[in-house]
Amino acid sequence: GAVVSQHPSRVICKSGTSVKIECRSLDFQATTMFWYRQFPKQSLMLMATSNEGSKATYEQGVEKDKFLINHASLTLSTLTVTSAHPEDSSFYICSATPYNEQFFGPGTRLTVL
Amino acid sequence: QKEVEQNSGPLSVPEGAIASLNCTYSDRGSQSFFWYRQYSGKSPELIMFIYSNGDKEDGRFTAQLNKASQYVSLLIRDSQPSDSATYLCAVNRDTGFQKLVFGTGTRLLVSP
């Protein structure tokens, strides 16, 4: 199957700093990638749809100025959590659909102190 | 009412038994239905998807869909301890994998 990677796998930062998470499709081109967030014991919640070469589409309730998404190439999408706060601590997962299946990255555990 | 509802569990079954996982959804317009397995701290991996009413079998797994009742289930035959994980149900209004809506998942524990 297709491989999606994420970097870093785990990050701890101080409140107020910005954190960038990378999502890469390793063996296919992805015009669309998705960003999810998962809090402990809760469901994956779609945050935004990342479109190569255009602006991301954010789900209702997700602050686009806080969660900046850049899909600069067909293999890379980045999510930047700006001015992170403890309530942003979560498991962030990206995914892509090269064909008839959605493949998930391994996730990034963000802890904001 | 949540869009996709699952019993959080845990559902405990002995090794070799059949595990039955259930999911209901609220949007009658949903067209495609998915079951993902998620181990603790890991990302989800697809087990099966189903579009049409009835049963779909893949190895030890069987997905069952009843659109009239807005109900989808996953049966795991000959359960193994390695099947212990959280099983996520997801739905989509379209026949594809875009913009999935996930349930909170059911934790399955298979005891040796």
Side-chain angles (χ1 to χ4, degrees):
Chain A
V3 180
V4 177
S5 71
Q6 277 184 247
H7 178 78
S9 59
R10 185 180 296 268
V11 58
I12 301 172
C13 69
K14 293 182 178 180
S15 184
T17 60
S18 294
V19 174
K20 180 184 284 189
I21 302 170
E22 293 185 349
C23 176
R24 293 183 185 273
S25 56
L26 298 186
D27 51 2
F28 65 95
Q29 294 183 330
T31 55
T32 302
M33 291 183 174
F34 303 93
W35 286 97
Y36 293 85
R37 179 169 53 181
Q38 186 178 33
F39 293 106
K41 299 189 185 301
Q42 293 189 26
S43 178
L44 275 76
M45 295 297 296
L46 180 65
M47 299 176 65
T49 302
S50 173
N51 305 298
E52 189 268 337
S54 65
K55 292 183 178 180
T57 304
Y58 291 83
E59 295 300 304
Q60 190 173 14
V62 177
E63 300 174 59
K64 62 181 180 180
D65 294 330
K66 182 172 182 61
F67 299 99
L68 301 179
I69 292 173
N70 188 320
H71 196 148
S73 77
L74 288 171
T75 59
L76 174 64
S77 175
T78 60
L79 168 68
T80 301
V81 183
T82 62
S83 186
H85 292 283
E87 58 266 29
D88 298 322
S89 298
S90 187
F91 191 46
Y92 292 85
I93 308 175
C94 70
S95 72
T97 57
Y99 41 85
N100 199 29
E101 183 171 342
Q102 190 166 139
F103 290 90
F104 288 86
T108 297
R109 177 76 58 191
L110 171 64
T111 303
V112 184
L113 302 176
Chain B
Q1 181 186 11
K2 294 182 180 178
E3 289 190 62
V4 181
E5 296 211 46
Q6 295 180 255
N7 187 317
S8 60
L11 173 65
S12 296
V13 300
E15 183 175 359
I18 296 175
S20 178
L21 304 163
N22 304 315
C23 172
T24 58
Y25 59 95
S26 60
D27 187 350
R28 283 196 171 274
S30 299
Q31 295 291 324
S32 49
F33 308 86
F34 308 85
W35 283 100
Y36 285 84
R37 177 175 61 197
Q38 186 177 27
Y39 292 107
S40 181
K42 304 296 183 182
S43 59
E45 52 185 342
L46 181 68
I47 298 175
M48 293 186 69
F49 60 87
I50 186 168
Y51 297 149
S52 304
N53 278 328
D55 295 358
K56 179 181 179 182
E57 186 175 321
D58 183 1
R60 295 187 296 114
F61 301 96
T62 298
Q64 300 175 316
L65 174 61
N66 184 325
K67 289 187 178 180
S69 300
Q70 296 175 242
Y71 175 94
V72 58
S73 65
L74 179 69
L75 300 178
I76 306 175
R77 290 181 298 281
D78 188 24
S79 296
Q80 301 297 309
S82 59
D83 294 327
S84 298
T86 296
Y87 289 79
L88 303 173
C89 172
V91 304
N92 188 357
R93 287 186 65 90
D94 301 318
T95 54
F97 285 75
Q98 309 290 322
K99 294 193 69 171
L100 301 180
V101 179
F102 284 85
T104 54
T106 297
R107 187 176 171 213
L108 173 65
L109 297 177
V110 181
S111 55

